[in-house]
């Protein structure tokens, strides 16, 4: 009887037949090799990685997110006002940072709200790219939201910064007519011109410019965070701006953490139809043909190496496809090995409630729908408490 046992188990639970190891499932997706240089040779150590890194960034710029113009019109200047030194019952200092476009023809400004814990000399910081209504990031704290639990971050010794993405560029098809794009109204757009995700990521870097200059912030410990379209942006911001010590993608799905090849739910064809302005025009060439894209999204996550990356999923968020987000993190991990680090240390395909925090890429699968919640933030705090190198408080 004994040898037949596994057979009966499979009869009772046929779904087990479909479950392979994460490594097998990654193999089945037929992904581009993150370590393979365009010359065909394979990167085997950290000194060779910058060359491959540069190639991957160029492909994402050309084919997916578009190229930020290298143009003095993008120069900025920043002003800061301390609104309160006793915010949150004396626990935090509240600053309003305004980033002005230096171009005379523009009155565009980006406002960053920043709470800094009063009990910490040089605080690590989470910078949220807020793609939801500004009421989720109320500086007066009259309205509180799970989306940005600023009090929780302060309790844990983190500064809480937030940028409203629509301050940089509108989140609609008229994006080019306003915000930062307005400065280039006279420059014809090409198939590689930047989309709004790249513009928002550019805005995140301008916030980082300020955070680097504020002595109350530990600028070597700033983590950029985003949910969904904000999560796609956080990964791209972290990829191109290596001053960020970490990037968090919460349920970023298509064109974020989720692999395009073999993905369920939203496809490149869907996203480029509904949100064409998020990307450069070239990205539409891959609608229905993800296998032709010369990169896949694991290579976006890999651009964080050796810095920290976090991918979060929710089990009912099938449009994002949790399995493809998780496998994106798995497939990014070999790059961390070049640095003698472990990327995602997983325990097999995640179940609801799985939390993988051991390696330099963190992951969790929360129960529930598409959202950024206090439960997600608590996981981010646990992970960064464990891995972020902080100056002494
Ligand atoms: C959806 C879009 C997703 C995701 C989401 C969001 O409609 O298809 O890619 O970005 O919006 O930002 O909440």
């Amino acid at each position: 009887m004994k040898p037949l046992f596994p057979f009966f188990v499979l009869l009772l639970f046929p779904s087990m037949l479909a479950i392979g190891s994460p490594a097998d499932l990654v193999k089945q997706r037929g992904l581009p090799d993150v370590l393979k240089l365009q010359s065909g040779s394979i990167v085997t150590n950290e000194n060779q990685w910058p060359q491959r890194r540069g190639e991957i960034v160029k492909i994402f710029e050309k084919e997916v997110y578009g190229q930020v113009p290298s143009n003095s019109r993008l120069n900025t200047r920043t002003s800061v006002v301390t609104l309160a030194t006793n915010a949150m019952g004396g626990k935090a200092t509240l600053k309003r940072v305004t980033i002005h476009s230096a171009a005379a023809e523009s009155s565009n400004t980006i406002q960053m709200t920043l709470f800094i814990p009063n009990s910490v000399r040089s605080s690590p910081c989470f910078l949220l790219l807020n793609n939801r209504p500004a009421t989720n990031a109320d500086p007066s704290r009259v309205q509180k939201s799970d989306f940005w639990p600023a009090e929780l971050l302060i309790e844990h010794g983190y500064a809480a910064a937030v940028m409203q993405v629509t301050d940089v560029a509108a989140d609609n098809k008229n994006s080019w007519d306003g915000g930062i794009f307005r400065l280039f109204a006279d420059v014809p757009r090409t198939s590689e011109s930047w989309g709004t995700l790249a513009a928002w990521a550019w805005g995140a870097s301008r916030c980082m410019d300020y955070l680097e200059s504020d002595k109350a912030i530990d600028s070597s410990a700033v983590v950029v965070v985003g949910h969904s379209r904000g999560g796609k942006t956080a990964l791209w911001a972290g990829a191109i701006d290596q001053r960020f010590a970490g990037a968090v993608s919460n349920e970023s799905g298509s064109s974020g953490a989720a692999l395009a090849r073999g993905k369920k739910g939203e496809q490149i064809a869907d996203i480029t139809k509904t949100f064409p302005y998020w990307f450069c025009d070239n990205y539409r060439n891959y609608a229905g043909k993800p296998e032709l894209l010369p990169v896949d999204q694991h290579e976006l996550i890999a651009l964080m190496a050796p810095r920290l990356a976090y991918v979060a999923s929710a089990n009912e968020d099938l449009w994002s496809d949790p399995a493809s987000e998780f496998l994106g993190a798995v497939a990014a991990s070999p790059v961390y090995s070049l640095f003698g680090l472990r990327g995602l240390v997983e325990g097999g395909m995640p179940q609801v409630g799985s939390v993988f925090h051991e390696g330099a890429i963190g992951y969790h699968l929360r129960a529930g729908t598409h959202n950024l919640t206090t439960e997600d933030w608590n996981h981010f705090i646990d992970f960064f408490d464990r891995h972020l190198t902080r100056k002494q408080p």
Side-chain angles (χ1 to χ4, degrees):
M1 278 311 282
K2 217 175 171 196
L4 287 176
F5 177 71
F7 176 69
F8 284 124
V9 171
L10 289 176
L11 274 183
L12 286 172
F13 302 104
S15 62
M16 287 181 75
L17 281 168
I19 297 177
S21 73
D24 289 343
L25 293 172
V26 161
K27 231 180 248 156
Q28 287 164 22
R29 300 274 179 127
L31 303 176
D33 186 341
V34 64
L35 295 176
K36 192 171 182 178
L37 285 155
Q38 279 162 350
S39 66
S41 53
I42 302 289
V43 169
T44 54
N45 62 58
E46 67 180 278
N47 300 325
Q48 296 164 346
W49 171 245
Q51 189 186 345
R52 176 64 184 143
R53 185 183 201 288
E55 290 180 357
I56 295 171
V57 167
K58 277 218 174 74
I59 301 171
F60 275 113
E61 280 177 341
K62 189 164 175 278
E63 308 293 343
V64 183
Y65 305 109
Q67 181 86 49
V68 178
S70 140
N71 192 307
S72 59
R73 292 181 199 180
L74 287 179
N75 292 350
T76 53
R77 64 185 171 78
T78 300
S79 55
V80 57
V81 182
T82 299
L83 296 177
T85 52
N86 61 348
M88 297 179 177
K91 291 188 178 143
T93 293
L94 169 61
K95 296 184 183 179
R96 191 183 55 217
V97 177
T98 308
I99 298 156
H100 309 260
S101 170
E105 63 272 38
S106 170
S107 56
N108 193 60
T109 59
I110 302 168
Q111 303 276 350
M112 173 169 63
T113 296
L114 174 62
F115 285 98
I116 304 173
N118 286 335
S119 60
V120 184
R121 197 143 32 97
S122 176
S123 317
C125 178
F126 284 108
L127 167 63
L128 175 69
L129 309 180
N130 185 22
N131 57 296
R132 293 255 175 110
T135 46
N136 286 285
D138 178 11
S140 75
R141 306 313 290 153
V142 172
Q143 300 196 56
K144 300 219 170 83
S145 157
D146 262 11
F147 200 78
W148 190 55
E151 286 75 7
L152 180 78
L153 301 181
I154 294 294
E155 287 295 338
H156 286 267
Y158 288 86
V162 63
M163 177 194 95
Q164 196 65 28
V165 295
T166 47
D167 280 0
V168 185
D171 190 4
N172 59 45
K173 63 177 173 31
N174 301 321
S175 208
W176 315 146
D177 301 339
I180 204 66
F181 288 114
R182 205 155 157 213
L183 294 176
F184 300 94
D186 58 333
V187 182
R189 288 184 59 84
T190 73
S191 58
E192 295 174 19
S193 292
W194 55 340
T196 51
L197 299 184
W200 298 341
W202 171 86
S205 287
R206 301 297 65 82
C207 291
M208 184 66 192
D209 294 343
Y210 172 78
L211 294 169
E212 268 194 315
S213 74
D214 190 326
K215 298 243 173 328
I217 301 292
D218 177 354
S219 62
S220 68
V222 177
V223 178
V224 59
V225 183
H227 167 68
S228 204
R229 64 198 73 184
K232 307 178 211 294
T233 308
L235 285 177
W236 183 233
I240 52 176
D241 189 336
Q242 296 186 67
R243 293 174 299 173
F244 289 111
V248 176
S249 136
N250 196 70
E251 299 156 31
S252 62
S254 169
S255 319
L259 296 172
R261 286 164 176 78
K263 187 181 181 303
K264 298 206 166 67
E266 186 173 36
Q267 306 290 312
I268 296 175
D270 300 306
I271 205 165
T272 55
K273 192 159 175 242
T274 318
F275 303 104
Y277 53 88
W278 283 355
F279 307 99
C280 69
D281 287 355
N282 275 341
Y283 197 37
R284 292 178 217 170
N285 298 335
Y286 304 99
K289 295 176 259 183
E291 67 287 352
L292 298 185
L293 191 64
V295 280
D296 208 316
Q297 299 304 123
H298 62 306
E299 293 173 289
L300 176 64
I301 302 170
L303 293 175
M304 287 308 295
R307 297 164 298 146
L308 301 167
Y310 199 104
V311 175
S313 305
N315 76 323
E316 289 176 43
D317 182 16
L318 303 180
W319 190 236
S320 294
D321 188 7
S324 292
E325 292 172 331
F326 169 74
L327 293 176
V330 173
S333 297
V335 178
Y336 285 81
S337 309
L338 300 173
F339 296 87
L341 298 169
R342 298 181 76 191
L344 181 66
V345 179
E346 32 85 2
M349 285 306 283
Q351 310 295 311
V352 175
S354 289
V355 176
F356 302 134
H357 279 184
E358 219 179 304
I361 305 178
Y363 179 85
H364 73 256
L365 177 60
R366 170 175 63 70
T369 54
H370 187 63
N371 201 357
L372 174 58
T373 69
T374 298
E375 184 179 338
D376 297 310
W377 281 105
N378 273 318
H379 287 309
F380 306 154
I381 290 167
D382 284 351
F383 175 80
F384 285 98
D385 273 354
R386 181 166 172 171
H387 293 283
L388 202 56
T389 316
R390 297 158 66 148
K391 285 186 195 151
Q392 282 306 305

